[in-house]
Amino acid sequence: MNIRQIHPEDCKAIIEAASDWWGRPYSSDMFSKWYIEHFQDTCLLAEEDGKIIGFVMGFLSQSKPNEAYIRIVMVAPSRRGKGVGQALYKEFFKRVGAAGRSIVRCVTAPANKNSIEFHTRMGFIVEPQEQELDGVPVCLDYDGRGGNRVLFKKGIVSSTYEGSL
Ligand SMILES: CC(C)(COP(=O)(O)OP(=O)(O)OC[C@H]1O[C@@H](n2cnc3c(N)ncnc32)[C@H](O)[C@@H]1OP(=O)(O)O)[C@@H](O)C(=O)NCCC(=O)NCCS
């Protein structure tokens, strides 16, 4: 398995892979050349024999200079449970730590128990909330569009930012 930065020319292959794994067309603003162009230092893919088997897309927060945010992580169904997600996260943590970030945040849907297990194993804590759903603290209307989310937070080792990742 090779892990590398995503480039704008990977956009089509990422959309195809995500749609294939999701089982229906998967569209999102982040699956666009402009997103990848501006956030590619924190967008990584895992490949095997030239084929994409997983990816993580995130960014360095502008408003919170010690934080990074993971927008999405996906691994090919046939490759899950084999360390691909963990390898992607380790490289992401290394990169954002090198950029001076000491906190990584991400969220997931309350129903996504696999994601909650994965993030817990990766050392994230679930941020306490006033409400719980199925025993899990949930932030209501997290996105301002009615979407409830479980909020994760992890501290990482940060080093001095030297100007590039
Ligand atoms: C969540 C996801 C990215 C995990 O990737 P993965 O490659 O299967 O995870 P890994 O094999 O690297 O697992 C890392 C650790 O998490 C644990 N883990 C992963 N999935 C788990 C699950 N469903 N239940 C329990 N533990 C799990 C592994 O056992 C491993 O722990 P270990 O180091 O103690 O062995 C993958 O299941 C996926 O793509 N899901 C669909 C998309 C999604 O829901 N993304 C998250 C929301 S944006």
Side-chain angles (χ1 to χ4, degrees):
M1 172 175 60
N2 177 47
I3 294 194
R4 68 165 172 84
Q5 196 167 305
I6 296 175
H7 303 295
E9 50 271 30
D10 296 313
C11 187
K12 189 165 177 278
I14 294 271
I15 294 171
E16 283 173 1
S19 300
D20 182 28
W21 304 342
W22 208 250
R24 57 189 154 83
Y26 197 104
S27 70
S28 161
D29 262 6
M30 70 191 143
F31 295 153
S32 58
K33 286 187 177 178
W34 63 262
Y35 182 96
I36 296 169
E37 181 172 347
H38 290 281
F39 296 95
Q40 57 187 300
D41 290 335
T42 49
C43 292
L44 306 167
L45 63 76
E47 60 190 356
E48 216 167 50
D49 301 326
K51 210 174 157 207
I52 298 173
I53 58 170
F55 59 84
V56 59
M57 301 176 84
F59 53 84
L60 304 175
S61 173
Q62 289 189 35
S63 313
K64 299 182 179 178
N66 63 332
E67 296 193 11
Y69 190 89
I70 294 172
R71 177 64 182 80
I72 190 168
V73 58
M74 274 186 120
V75 170
S78 64
R79 304 291 300 153
R80 288 179 194 164
K82 296 178 166 66
V84 178
Q86 184 169 43
L88 285 164
Y89 266 32
K90 276 190 175 169
E91 179 63 22
F92 184 89
F93 298 154
K94 198 170 102 185
R95 284 173 170 247
V96 301
R101 308 301 163 118
S102 55
I103 294 173
V104 178
R105 291 183 191 276
C106 56
V107 305
T108 202
N112 195 340
K113 304 301 179 202
N114 289 337
S115 176
I116 295 171
E117 290 290 341
F118 168 72
H119 284 94
T120 304
R121 284 299 309 146
M122 293 307 302
F124 286 82
I125 58 148
V126 174
E127 293 202 80
Q129 305 292 331
E130 283 178 16
Q131 314 76 26
E132 291 197 352
L133 283 179
D134 294 337
V136 184
V138 171
C139 175
L140 301 180
D141 194 25
Y142 170 77
D143 55 7
R145 293 179 298 180
N148 305 328
R149 293 289 181 270
V150 178
L151 274 49
F152 299 110
K153 179 182 176 183
K154 177 182 166 74
I156 60 160
V157 176
S158 147
S159 53
T160 309
Y161 183 40
E162 290 173 353
S164 63
L165 292 179

